[in-house]
Amino acid sequence: MKYKAITAIAALLALPMSAQAGPDDDKLVINGEIEMVTKTAAPAHLQDAMDEVMSGWHFRSDETQAMEADDFDNPGMVFVEKALGAWETAEGSEGKSCADCHGAVEDMAGVKATYPKWNEEAGGVRTLQMQMNACRTERMGAEAWKYDAGAAIEMEAMLSSVSRGMPVNVAIDGPAQATWEKGKELYYTRTGQLDLSCASCHEENYGNMIRADHLSQGQINGFPTYRLKNAKLNGVHSRFKGCIRDTRAETYSPGSDEFVALELYVTSRGNGLSVEGPSVRN
Amino acid sequence: MASGVKPRVKVPKSAAAGEAITIKTLISHKMESGQRKDKEGNVIPRSIINRFTCEFNGQMVVDVAMEPAISTNPYFQFDATVPEAGDFKFTWYDDDGSVYDETKSVAIA
């Protein structure tokens, strides 16, 4: 009886909320100590389009939001722990681990906030996963990880977790500018049978419903993201692919030049928000 | 059989005598239901945690029978009254016969 009563109350509480799709004004503090910036003034390059940028966290239900506020409740942290083991495991022909060069994981704080980033030697923009693979193939003599797959996404989540609370700050000028422009063009290009661009949903219609789901601003400061729907960490490129597929278009592949450019551009739309990964979303 | 299994428990380090404390547990486990098929159409054999128990100084606190519909990485949260200082012992039983356990001590503040 008691259980039924609670269910009934929950249903009553949920009713008025289901009609509203907009972001809330809650504050995110992780583990009671890391204060997160989840809403802030839009970066300069975005000011014609919107005044304020906000994390996708604001568009989720209270229950989902709460999972992210405590590392024990955040299922993404299980994968972070797995990557901690990999960080210290020597691999490849050189017999080196990540820790042999980079030291403690905590010393990597701030790295995630600046990626994707121009790499002079490679003559191109590299995402964090590309940089990890460059380390693996060039310095460790190990095999490259598959893009957005198990080990790679776990390591990215781990590197992200030590940067949580720091503001996203990717450079969009200088040598990275050409890639950034390309990403911007992709963002505003309509694709697929449904003829939708990223902006159609995430710039013009955030806060509205798309069928049964809330449209966020499509910020990627919380990636890699643990999604309740598939119970695993999801990479940015895989998410892009999902979105483009949903416009009923042929998609690019994770790790492709197009997605690297798009990642740089979309990340720059969230410059100023806290690094949040691994975040929890539905 | 199951790989990457790791139990995790969160218990307050100390409590007042008679106080009800909140305990959170999570074990990373794929919880393969036995209903799914692989690409070739063969049934992927069931591999789940089928029982979870928590004991306090040898006395049973919770004893849960678990079924295949439970999702990956099962999480349990419950309240327990702490009458005296002692140890919480958590045990997970795997289909393959493996037993994983974890012990946490609680002091009386």
Side-chain angles (χ1 to χ4, degrees), chain A residues 70-75 77-79 81-82 226 230-231, chain B residues 4 6 8-10 24-26 28 72-73 75-77:
Chain A
D70 184 307
D71 279 357
F72 195 91
D73 295 341
N74 182 343
M77 295 307 285
V78 172
F79 300 95
E81 274 184 24
K82 273 172 81 181
Y226 181 90
N230 59 12
Chain B
K6 190 177 168 206
R8 309 192 308 161
V9 180
K10 191 174 182 181
K24 296 174 176 181
T25 76
L26 185 153
S28 48
T72 181
N73 302 339
Y75 173 93
F76 285 103
Q77 178 180 332

Side-chain angles (χ1 to χ4, degrees), chain B residues 8 17 48 53 69 75 79 101:
Chain B
R8 309 192 308 161
I48 68 166
T53 63
Y75 173 93
D79 288 353
D101 55 36

Side-chain angles (χ1 to χ4, degrees), chain B residues 46-106:
Chain B
R46 176 183 132 154
S47 168
I48 68 166
I49 302 272
N50 55 44
R51 184 179 175 217
F52 165 69
T53 63
C54 169
E55 291 167 61
F56 183 68
N57 289 346
Q59 188 193 348
M60 193 63 81
V61 180
V62 288
D63 187 344
V64 186
M66 295 165 68
E67 303 292 342
I70 294 172
S71 311
T72 181
N73 302 339
Y75 173 93
F76 285 103
Q77 178 180 332
F78 51 93
D79 288 353
T81 308
V82 184
E84 67 214 9
D87 296 331
F88 278 102
K89 186 177 183 224
F90 305 89
T91 318
W92 291 262
Y93 298 85
D94 198 311
D95 270 352
D96 64 15
S98 311
V99 176
Y100 315 99
D101 55 36
E102 180 84 38
T103 305
K104 292 277 177 185
S105 302
V106 180

Side-chain angles (χ1 to χ4, degrees), chain A residues 38-68:
Chain A
T38 50
K39 280 188 186 183
T40 190
H45 69 84
L46 204 55
Q47 265 162 6
D48 291 340
M50 50 179 72
D51 298 328
E52 191 179 39
V53 289
M54 50 192 125
S55 162
W57 183 80
H58 284 291
F59 295 83
R60 304 275 65 108
S61 68
D62 287 347
E63 294 83 354
T64 310
Q65 287 182 337
M67 289 178 86
E68 200 181 314

Side-chain angles (χ1 to χ4, degrees), chain A residues 120-141:
Chain A
E120 195 59 55
E121 223 172 285
V125 170
R126 272 183 181 170
T127 63
L128 193 52
Q129 285 191 44
M130 290 161 79
Q131 185 57 44
M132 277 157 32
N133 271 339
C135 260
R136 288 179 62 80
T137 52
E138 290 161 23
R139 296 198 211 170
M140 294 165 70

Side-chain angles (χ1 to χ4, degrees), chain B residues 32-46:
Chain B
E32 188 59 59
S33 70
Q35 306 277 347
R36 301 198 306 161
K37 288 175 181 170
D38 63 16
K39 285 198 181 88
E40 283 78 46
N42 306 312
V43 172
I44 305 170
R46 176 183 132 154

